[in-house]
C-alpha cells in the first residue's frame, strides 16, 4: 500500500511538472484551426494517432536522452541552461498577447497543404510535435532523467522510477487525447478568452521554471569551478 501511495505521489509530481509544458490547449487550438476541413472520422483517427506519437516521443526522450547527451558531450549544467532558455522562451510566447498557436512554422506548412489537398495528416506535425511533445517537454524529460539525485535512487528502485515515468507519459497522452476529442466543447464552455487566460497562467509557470533551470545550471557550473580552484 505504501509503495502504491509513493507511486501515485511520483506520478502526481511528474504531471505537475510536465503539464504546463505539454499544454494540451495549444494542440486544441491547432486542431480547431487546422482540422476544420478534415472529415470527422479521419480527424478522430488522427487524434488517436497523435496521442500515440506523444507517448512515443516522450518515451524516446526518457530512455534515449541521456545516451544522446553523452554521445554529443553535453553536460548536465549545459542541458539545464539550454532547457531553461527554451522553456522560458515558450513561456514568454504564451504570456505575450500577440503570440498565437497558428504562428508556428509547422502550422503554416500544414495550412498550405490543407489548402491544396482535401485531407492531410496533422497527427505528428504539428499536433504531437511541437504542439504537445515539443522542445520544452523533451528538454524537461532529458534534464530530469539525467540529473536524478542519488538520494532518490537510494529510496526508489530503477524499475519503480521507470514505472512512474511511464504512467506520467501515459496519463499525459490520455489527457491529450481527451482534450482533442472534446476540443470544440471545451472552447465553447470556457470561451477563447478562457483558453487564453489559462495559457497565460501556464506561460508564467513556464517562465518561472525556466529561470530556475538556468539558476540551477549556473550554480552547478560555479560549484564545479570553485571545487577545481580549491584543488
Amino acid at each position: 500500500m505504501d509503495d502504491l501511495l509513493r507511486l501515485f505521489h511520483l506520478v502526481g509530481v511528474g504531471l505537475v511538472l510536465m503539464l504546463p509544458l505539454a499544454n494540451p490547449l495549444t494542440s486544441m487550438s491547432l486542431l480547431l484551426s487546422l482540422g476544420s476541413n478534415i472529415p470527422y472520422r479521419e480527424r478522430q483517427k488522427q487524434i488517436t494517432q497523435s496521442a500515440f506519437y506523444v507517448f512515443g516521443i516522450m518515451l524516446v526522450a526518457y530512455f534515449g536522452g541521456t545516451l544522446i547527451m553523452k554521445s554529443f558531450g553535453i553536460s548536465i549544467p549545459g542541458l539545464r541552461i539550454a532547457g531553461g532558455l527554451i522553456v522560458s522562451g515558450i513561456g514568454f510566447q504564451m504570456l505575450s498577447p500577440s503570440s498565437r498557436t497558428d504562428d508556428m512554422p509547422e502550422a503554416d506548412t500544414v495550412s498550405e497543404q490543407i489548402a491544396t489537398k482535401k485531407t492531410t495528416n496533422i497527427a505528428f506535425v504539428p499536433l504531437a510535435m511541437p504542439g504537445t511533445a515539443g522542445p520544452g517537454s523533451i528538454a524537461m524529460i532529458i534534464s530530469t532523467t539525467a540529473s536524478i539525485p542519488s538520494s532518490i535512487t537510494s529510496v526508489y528502485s530503477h524499475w519503480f522510477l521507470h514505472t512512474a515515468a511511464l504512467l506520467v507519459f501515459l496519463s499525459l497522452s490520455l489527457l491529450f487525447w481527451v482534450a482533442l476529442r472534446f476540443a470544440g466543447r471545451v472552447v465553447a464552455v470556457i470561451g477563447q478568452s478562457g483558453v487564453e487566460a489559462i495559457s497565460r497562467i501556464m506561460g508564467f509557470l513556464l517562465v518561472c521554471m525556466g529561470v530556475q533551470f538556468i539558476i540551477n545550471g549556473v550554480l552547478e557550473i560555479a560549484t564545479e569551478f570553485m571545487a577545481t580552484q580549491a584543488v
Side-chain angles (χ1 to χ4, degrees):
M1 189 64 181
D2 290 339
D3 289 341
L4 190 60
L5 290 176
R6 289 192 298 174
L7 181 62
F8 282 135
H9 174 73
L10 284 179
V11 172
V13 172
L15 287 175
V16 170
L17 290 175
M18 289 297 300
L19 192 57
L21 283 167
N23 190 13
L25 292 174
T26 301
S27 295
M28 285 170 54
S29 301
L30 285 170
L31 177 67
L32 293 176
S33 61
L34 299 176
S36 57
N37 294 329
I38 300 177
Y40 177 79
R41 290 183 179 274
E42 178 64 21
R43 188 167 66 247
Q44 300 306 312
K45 177 182 176 181
Q46 291 188 22
I47 289 172
T48 302
Q49 290 176 348
S50 189
F52 280 107
Y53 287 145
V54 168
F55 181 75
I57 292 169
M58 292 183 176
L59 209 60
V60 171
Y62 179 76
F63 286 105
T66 305
L67 178 61
I68 294 173
M69 284 178 55
K70 292 180 179 179
S71 300
F72 288 93
I74 302 172
S75 65
I76 294 178
L79 180 66
R80 285 185 183 275
I81 295 174
L85 292 173
I86 293 173
V87 171
S88 298
I90 296 173
F92 279 119
Q93 289 179 0
M94 294 172 65
L95 282 171
S96 174
S98 59
S99 64
R100 300 181 305 169
T101 54
D102 57 357
D103 288 335
M104 295 179 181
E106 295 85 355
D108 294 337
T109 302
V110 173
S111 297
E112 294 174 0
Q113 294 175 357
I114 291 175
T116 58
K117 186 178 179 181
K118 186 175 181 180
T119 302
T120 189
N121 194 304
I122 60 174
F124 190 82
V125 177
L127 291 185
M129 178 185 283
T132 295
S137 300
I138 294 173
M140 167 69 85
I141 293 171
I142 296 176
S143 175
T144 304
T145 304
S147 58
I148 294 177
S150 57
S151 59
I152 297 295
T153 55
S154 63
V155 176
Y156 303 106
S157 61
H158 287 288
W159 73 266
F160 196 89
L161 294 174
H162 293 336
T163 302
L166 291 175
L167 289 177
V168 170
F169 302 153
L170 182 62
S171 300
L172 287 172
S173 301
L174 288 175
L175 181 61
F176 170 81
W177 181 79
V178 171
L180 292 191
R181 292 276 294 190
F182 299 97
R185 298 181 185 179
V186 171
V187 173
V189 171
I190 66 177
Q192 189 59 37
S193 59
V195 173
E196 293 179 357
I198 296 174
S199 181
R200 301 288 189 279
I201 295 173
M202 290 186 173
F204 176 73
L205 293 175
L206 289 184
V207 172
C208 295
M209 291 168 60
V211 171
Q212 189 61 51
F213 280 179
I214 296 172
I215 292 173
N216 292 342
V218 172
L219 288 177
E220 286 185 30
I221 294 174
T223 302
E224 292 178 2
F225 177 77
M226 293 176 64
T228 55
Q229 291 295 107
V231 173

